[in-house]
Amino acid sequence: MADETQSTPLDMRAIAPHLLLPLAIIGVVVFFAALQPAMISGGNVVNIMKQSSLFFFVAAAQLVVIITRGFDLSVGANVSLVSVVSSMVMTSLLPGLGTGIGVFAGVCTGLAIGAALGAINGALVAYARINPFIVTLATMSIFTGIATTVSGGFPIFNLPEGFSFALNQMKILALPIPLVIAGAVAWALHFMLTRTVHGRVLYVLGDSNEVAHVGGRRVREHLFFAYVTSGILAAIAGLLMTAQTGSGEPNLGTSLVLSSIAAAVIGGASLRGGTGTISAPIYGALLITCLSIGMNLQQINGSLQPVVIGAILIFGAALDAYRTRGR
Amino acid sequence: MTEHMIEPDAALASGHPAHKAGETLIELRDLDKSYGAFKALQGMQFELRAGEIHVLFGENGAGKSTLIQIICGVQGFDSGSYRLFDEPVSVMTPALAHDKGVSIVFQEFSLIPEMTVEENLFLGHELVQGLRLAKTEMRRKVHAVLDRLGFALDPRARVRNLRRAHQQMVEIAKALLWDCRVLILDEPTASLTDQEAAQLFDIIEQLRADGLGIVYVSHRMPEISRLADRVTVLRDGKYIDTVQMADTSEKELVQLMTGRTFDEFFPEITRSAGDTLMQFEGVTLQRGMAHDLSFSVRRGEVLGFAGLAGCGKSEVLRAAFGLEPLSSGQITCGSTRLERHSPRKALNNRICYFPSDRATEGLAMSQNLISNSTVAALDDEKFSRRGMLLKRPAERSFAKEIIEKLKIRTPGLNARADQLSGGNKQKLMIARGLSREFDIFLFDEPTVGVDIQAKLEIYDVIKTLTEAGKAVVIASSELAEVMHMSHRVIVMREGAIVGELDGDEVTEQALLSHFFAHEEPAAQAAGEVN
Amino acid sequence: MTAQTIRNTARRNPILASIGILPIVLIVTCGLLALYEPRFLRSSNLINVLRNASFLSIISAGQMLVIIVGGFDISVGAIVALTSVSSALSIVWLADLGIGSTAVIVALGCLLGLIPGILVGLANGFFVSVMKISPFMVTIGTMTMAAGIAGYVTGGTPIYDLPELFTREIGRGSLFRLPYIVYAAALVLCLLWYMQTQTRLGRYFYAVGGNEKAARLSGLNTRKYIWAAYVLSALLAGIVGLFLTARVGSGEATLGSNLMLESISVAVIGGVALKGGVGRIPMVALSALFLSVLSNGMSLIRIDSKYHIIIIGIVIVIAVAAESYRESRRAGHG
C-alpha cells in the first residue's frame, strides 16, 4: 500500500513510459485512417484484430525466453513445421475418422510438436549450456529442413473445412476466435508470470542465473520449461496461421523470426533479461500489425515494409539501451 | 633506447623534464565526485611529492578507488581542481595519464585473460617498426623488467592460466615497464606471499629513492608502518586528514579511519557455544582451492575465517552451501550427511549464505525488493501454495516488515534492487536470512562496500542471530572485523587451515603470524590443536 | 574410443591442443569422400570446392573479427545482396554515361558498389559501439533494411547487361586453372593474418573482446576498434558480393541469403569463441574449407539439398557443444 499512495500525485515520469506505446498505436491508426478511411472500416478492424492476435503468439513465445535473457530464433521454423505436420495429420485422418477427430488430432499433434521442439531447444540451452543464440540458429535450420523435407516443399491443401472454421472464421460474442484465444492465452501467461513461483524465478534467473541458483531455485528446470512454453506458443501461432491460410505451408513462419523479436522488444522486454510483461507482446503485435496493414492499404511497396520494421527494431533496441543505461 | 626506459633516472633525463625531490607532483583541491545521488567523494584534498610514499587509508567503500581512478583518468570529477606536474588538468584519460608518466597497478586486474603475459605488458603501448610489431625488442624488454623485479614469469604464458599471485605480478610489471614519475599501487600485496611481498617492498623503496612519487592504497598496518611517509585518511567519501607516519601511532590511524575506537565500534557478542551443527571432515574441493578441511560449526558462537585474498576462505563457505563440488571428504549437517550438495539442499537443511559478490550472486538487480527478499523461501508454506502459486500478500507484508526491522532506506516496495545504496543492498540481501527458519548463517565478506552506519547495523544483526542461538560463520579479508566479531578464528593459507585460535588467543599478532609462510612450525603446531 | 584417444593426445600434446581436431576431421572427411565417390577428386570438382571455400572464408573472416570484439554480424548476407544490386546498378549507370573504357567502368562501378555496404557497416558500428545497443538487434535491423532496400531497388528482377569484362573475366576467369576468387581469398586471408599476428590493430581487437574494461584501462579507445571490426566485416562482405555478382552475371537482391548462417557456422566451427577475444584466421579458413567439402560431398553422394541445412545445423550444435564442454572442463580444473 505504501508505495501506491506515494505514486498518487500523478508522477508523470512513472506513467509516461506506460502511455507511450498505446499512444503510438493510436497515432499510427489515426495517421493511416487520415490517409485512407478504409483503415477503420469494420472489415479492416476485424482484420487487424485477427492479424495481431496471430502475431501476438509468436511475440509472446519470444517474450518468455527473452525474460530469461535468451532468444528463440527457431519460432518461425517451429510455426512452419507445426503447420506442415498438423496439416498432414488432418488430411490423412480425414477420410477414415471424420472431421471432428481429424481436427482434434491435428491440433494435438501440432501442440505436441511445438512442445517437443521447445524441449529440444530447452535441453540444449539449459542442460548442455550452449548459447541460446547458436542453439536456436542451428535448430532453426534443422526444423526448417525437416519442414521442407516432410512436405516435399509443397503446400498441403484440402484441409478440413471445420478446421479453418473452428480456428479462424468462428466468432464468439462477435469477436473473432483468434482474438478470443489470444485473450485467454494472454491472461494465462500473465497469471504464470506474475502469480506463480515459476514466473517469478524466470525473472530472477533472467537477471542473474547465479542469484537464482544461490536462492536455491532449480535454474535448469525453469529455463527448460521457458523454452517449452515458447515452443507451445509458437505451435498455437502455427495452427492459427494454418487455419487462416487454409493450407499447410513449409515456409509459413520464415518471416516471423525477426518481427517477433521486434514486437517483444518494442513492447518493452529488455534483451538484458529479467524484464518484460504481458503488455510487451500485446502492444508490440498491435503496433507492427497496424503499421504493416496501414502500409498495405497505402500500397507501399512490399520490399520497403521490412525497411520500416528494421528501423523500428533498431529504434526499439535503442530505447531499451537508453532505458537500462547505467545498470 | 630500451635501456633507459627501464631505468627511471635515465629515462627522466631523456623523456620528462628533470625534477627535484620534494617537488609537488599531484595536487587535488576540494574534489567532488558523485554517481547520481551517491556522493563518492566530497571535498577531497590530496598532494603527492616526488620521493615519497603516500598511503591512502580507509575502509572498503571509503572512496580510495574512486580517488585513484580520477587521478589516472578512468573517472572524471565533478568539481574542484586537479594539478598534475604543476599543470591544471581538466580532462584526463588513461592513455594521457600513461603518456605523462602516471602508472597504476589496479586491484581489479586490468589484464586480458586470453592474451599472453608479454602481450598484456605492452597492451596499448606496443613497440612497432613501421606497421609491424617489434616482437624481438619487446621480448628483450620484458625479460629486462622481469629480471629486475625478480619475478619468475614466462612471457609466453597465457594470463588465464596463471595463479592469482602471478597475475598480480604481471600487473606490477605492466606498471613498471615504462618510466614513470607517479606510481599508484592499489592493494598490491592482496594476493602475494610474504616473500613476494617483501621483494615488492624493496622495489618500491628503491623507486622512492629514485625520486618517484608513490600512491599506495592499503589498509594493512604492517605494510603501512614499513612504507609510508605520509598517510591520507578517507572515510565515507570524505577527506579526514593527512598525517606524517613518523608521528602517528597505528591506534590513532585506525581511530581516524573508523571515526571511533575499536571498543565502541564492534559489538560485544555473548558466547554460549552449544551443540555442533555442521561438521567438515577431510574436505577437499574439486577446483583445488582448498584441501583437507576439518572443522565444526557450533550453535551460539561466531566462527571467523581469516587469511589473504585467494587463500580459500570464501570457497569454504561456498562449499558449505553447496556451491563448490567436493572431491573427497564429507560435510555433515546435524545428523544428515550432505551428499550431492546444492544450494537447494543447503537451504532445506537450514543453512543460509550471503555471497560476497552482491551484484552477480546476491541480488537480482532489476527485480523489486519483494522478489529479492523472498527468492530463497519460495518453497516455504509462508510464501507459496505447494511451491507453485505465490502468496503475494504474505510477500508484501514480509518485505514491509524487513524494511522496518533492518532500516532499509528505499523509495518504495516496488523499487528495484539497483536503486538502493551499497549498504541498503547488503541489508536487503541479509533480509533473506529472515525469510525462513535457518540455523546456520554464512557471511562472505559481510561489509564489503557498505558505509559505516550500515556496517554497524549488519554487526548488530550478527549479534542478534548469535545470541538467539544460531551458528554464524564469517569470512572476511578485513582483519579487524574477523578479529573482533569472532569467538573462534580459523586461519587459512593457500587452501589449507593453518591455525585455529579460540577466545583470548585471537589477537592481531597471532593472526598475522599465521598469514605468511615463514611461520611454518608455529602454524603447524596450531593446526594440530585443531 | 577413438574420440577419447584423440582428446587425450590433444591434452598431452600442446601442438595438437592448439590446432584442435578440425584438421583431422577435415582430412578424414576428404579421405572417406574420395574412397566412396572418386568424382570428388576430379580437378574440376576440387576447384569448385575451393571456389566455394574462398567465398565462404572471406565473409567468415569478417564475421570472425566482429565475434572477436564480442559481437555478431547478422547483416553480412544482406550486405552481399545490397552490394550486388548497387554494383550492378553503378556499372549500368556508368556505361550509360558513355565512358569509353570498360575497365574504368567496371573498376569505378565496383568501388561505388561497395559504398552502401560500408555505410551499413558504419551504421552497425555506430549503434553497437556508441549507442551500446545489442549487436544482435542492430545487425538484424540493418539486415532487414538492407535486404528491403535491395529488393525495392530491383523490384524483384535481376539487373542484367553487365559488361563481358566483369562477368567473364572477373566472374569466370582463372589463372593457372584457379579462379581469381581463390587468389583474392588468399590475399585477404594473408593480410588479415598479418594484421592479427603482427600489428597493433589485431592485438587490440583481441583485447577489446577479451576484456573491454581492461582494454579501456590500458588506454585503448575501445569504441574505435569495435566500430572498425563492423566496417571491416561489411567491407569483406561487399567484396564477396562483387565476386558473386560477377559469377552469376547479374545484380540480384537475393544473393547470399545463406551466407549469414554459414559465416557464423564457419566461425563457430573454427573455434571462434562467442564470448569474444578468441579466434584465428587459419582455423577459420580450414573451417570454411571443411564446410565446403561437406556440402560438396553431400551433393556428390546425392543427399537431397533439403537435408543439407539439417546436417549443417547438427554440425554447428556438435561444434558448439564440444566447445562448451572443453570450456567447462577447463573451468573445472582451472
Side-chain angles (χ1 to χ4, degrees), chain A:
Chain A
M1 276 292 123
D3 56 316
E4 275 153 29
T5 39
Q6 271 169 14
S7 61
T8 21
L10 275 180
D11 187 351
M12 278 316 286
R13 265 182 309 171
I15 296 173
H18 299 293
L19 288 179
L20 194 65
L21 279 162
L23 285 177
I25 294 165
I26 293 169
V28 166
V29 173
V30 168
F31 174 74
F32 282 111
L35 292 175
Q36 176 69 270
M39 182 75 184
I40 44 173
S41 70
N44 199 50
V45 170
V46 170
N47 191 19
I48 290 178
M49 284 199 275
K50 272 190 185 175
Q51 292 300 331
S52 48
S53 305
L54 298 188
F55 194 43
F56 160 79
F57 289 100
V58 275
Q62 210 61 257
L63 170 78
V64 176
V65 286
I66 285 181
I67 288 176
T68 68
R69 209 189 302 168
F71 269 130
D72 195 346
L73 300 184
S74 69
V75 277
N78 190 332
V79 165
S80 305
L81 189 53
V82 165
S83 170
V84 167
V85 177
S86 57
S87 301
M88 289 171 84
V89 168
M90 281 186 275
T91 46
S92 65
L93 287 183
L94 191 55
L97 293 166
T99 315
I101 295 175
V103 169
F104 181 73
V107 169
C108 289
T109 318
L111 294 177
I113 288 174
L117 300 187
I120 294 174
N121 285 333
L124 289 169
V125 171
Y127 293 99
R129 298 203 194 164
I130 308 176
N131 182 321
F133 175 80
I134 293 293
V135 166
T136 54
L137 192 68
T139 53
M140 172 177 80
S141 64
I142 295 173
F143 300 161
T144 310
I146 296 175
T148 23
T149 311
V150 170
S151 66
F154 300 108
I156 292 150
F157 293 110
N158 300 325
L159 295 185
E161 290 285 320
F163 177 64
S164 275
F165 177 75
L167 291 186
N168 190 47
Q169 278 130 26
M170 193 162 72
K171 287 195 174 175
I172 295 178
L173 301 174
L175 294 173
I177 186 81
L179 185 66
V180 175
I181 301 178
V185 170
W187 182 83
L189 212 53
H190 179 66
F191 183 84
M192 183 197 89
L193 290 175
T194 56
R195 318 233 160 182
T196 67
V197 172
H198 176 59
R200 171 67 57 78
V201 176
L202 290 187
Y203 285 105
V204 173
L205 75 85
D207 220 328
S208 158
N209 260 325
E210 288 80 9
V211 171
H213 183 58
V214 169
R217 314 314 319 170
R218 294 193 181 100
V219 173
R220 293 178 186 188
E221 280 170 35
H222 289 288
L223 199 53
F224 176 79
F225 280 111
Y227 280 88
V228 173
T229 312
S230 165
I232 294 175
L233 288 168
I236 300 177
L239 289 168
L240 293 179
M241 287 179 185
T242 309
Q244 165 129 341
T245 48
S247 56
E249 304 272 346
N251 45 19
L252 187 62
T254 319
S255 62
L256 288 174
V257 182
L258 163 76
S259 42
S260 65
I261 298 178
V265 170
I266 294 167
S270 168
L271 289 175
R272 286 170 179 76
T275 56
T277 60
I278 195 65
S279 62
I282 295 176
Y283 289 151
L286 269 172
L287 182 65
I288 289 185
T289 309
C290 289
L291 262 175
S292 78
I293 287 180
M295 286 194 288
N296 280 337
L297 285 176
Q298 281 308 108
Q299 295 178 338
I300 291 175
N301 187 308
S303 307
L304 278 183
Q305 294 193 10
V307 180
V308 176
I309 299 203
I312 292 177
L313 179 62
I314 296 181
F315 175 75
L319 211 64
D320 172 39
Y322 176 77
R323 272 196 301 251
T324 55
R325 199 168 48 176
R327 262 194 223 161

Side-chain angles (χ1 to χ4, degrees), chain B residues 32-142:
Chain B
D32 290 332
K33 167 79 187 171
S34 38
Y35 304 99
F38 174 63
K39 291 195 167 64
L41 281 182
Q42 284 171 277
M44 188 62 207
Q45 318 285 339
F46 183 72
E47 182 206 47
L48 180 71
R49 301 192 196 122
E52 78 161 344
I53 297 175
H54 196 146
V55 167
L56 281 179
F57 188 60
E59 305 188 291
N60 290 316
K64 295 170 296 183
S65 301
T66 312
L67 179 59
I68 57 174
Q69 288 189 353
I70 288 172
I71 293 178
C72 71
V74 176
Q75 302 271 353
F77 52 93
D78 300 336
S79 61
S81 78
Y82 174 9
R83 295 177 74 82
L84 179 65
F85 309 135
D86 234 17
E87 291 162 27
V89 175
S90 49
V91 179
M92 178 59 94
T93 65
L96 187 65
H98 181 270
D99 292 343
K100 289 200 172 231
V102 178
S103 281
I104 176 158
V105 177
F106 286 104
Q107 182 188 14
E108 277 170 47
F109 296 123
S110 70
L111 302 176
I112 316 285
E114 294 292 340
M115 293 174 78
T116 65
V117 169
E118 184 176 37
E119 287 167 351
N120 266 294
L121 288 180
F122 280 94
L123 186 63
H125 312 282
E126 289 80 0
L127 304 179
V128 283
Q129 290 165 333
L131 268 179
R132 198 165 179 213
L133 294 169
K135 288 190 176 171
T136 341
E137 199 176 334
M138 286 197 275
R139 174 66 55 84
R140 204 153 44 89
K141 231 181 124 165
V142 167

Side-chain angles (χ1 to χ4, degrees), chain B residues 268-477:
Chain B
E268 195 61 46
I269 303 176
T270 322
R271 181 182 193 178
S272 51
D275 42 339
T276 299
L277 284 179
M278 185 194 255
Q279 187 112 32
F280 270 56
E281 285 163 77
V283 169
T284 297
L285 304 185
Q286 239 174 52
R287 291 202 305 148
M289 303 295 285
H291 41 85
D292 290 328
L293 305 165
S294 297
F295 62 87
S296 55
V297 178
R298 281 179 303 212
R299 234 180 235 292
E301 70 168 8
V302 181
L303 172 63
F305 276 87
L308 300 178
C311 71
K313 60 183 185 305
S314 57
E315 281 75 10
V316 175
L317 265 57
R318 299 177 68 79
F321 193 65
L323 285 166
E324 288 280 340
L326 312 187
S327 65
S328 66
Q330 60 170 334
I331 305 173
T332 42
C333 186
S335 54
T336 47
R337 185 178 161 185
L338 299 175
E339 270 172 299
R340 294 174 60 87
H341 202 15
S342 71
R344 193 177 178 79
K345 199 162 209 176
L347 289 165
N348 290 338
N349 280 288
R350 304 167 77 117
I351 303 169
C352 182
Y353 168 70
F354 305 108
S356 60
D357 191 348
R358 285 192 299 269
T360 63
E361 288 190 334
L363 295 175
M365 287 299 175
S366 50
Q367 305 304 316
N368 63 18
L369 257 64
I370 302 174
S371 94
N372 269 301
S373 61
T374 58
V375 65
L378 290 179
D379 294 326
D380 204 286
E381 277 292 297
K382 195 168 147 198
F383 297 119
S384 70
R385 290 184 190 86
R386 276 164 288 140
M388 300 285 285
L389 300 181
L390 296 170
K391 290 182 182 168
R392 302 211 302 176
E395 287 192 286
R396 278 184 89 80
S397 59
F398 172 72
K400 259 188 249 172
E401 182 191 317
I402 53 116
I403 287 174
E404 239 159 76
K405 207 166 180 177
L406 297 176
K407 304 186 191 74
I408 298 176
R409 272 179 297 157
T410 161
L413 277 179
N414 287 323
R416 295 188 314 269
D418 62 0
Q419 289 175 306
L420 304 183
S421 73
N424 285 307
K425 279 181 189 154
Q426 185 75 345
K427 285 193 269 179
L428 173 57
M429 195 168 83
I430 286 174
R432 214 171 279 170
L434 309 174
S435 64
R436 58 199 269 187
E437 282 296 313
F438 291 111
D439 287 331
I440 304 172
F441 291 85
L442 311 167
F443 290 86
D444 194 358
E445 306 286 354
T447 58
V448 165
V450 311
D451 56 38
I452 297 274
Q453 194 52 43
K455 210 167 183 171
L456 288 172
E457 283 162 14
I458 290 165
Y459 290 151
D460 210 48
V461 171
I462 293 176
K463 175 183 160 79
T464 318
L465 289 172
T466 317
E467 290 177 351
K470 311 286 186 193
V472 176
V473 184
I474 299 176
S476 174
S477 297

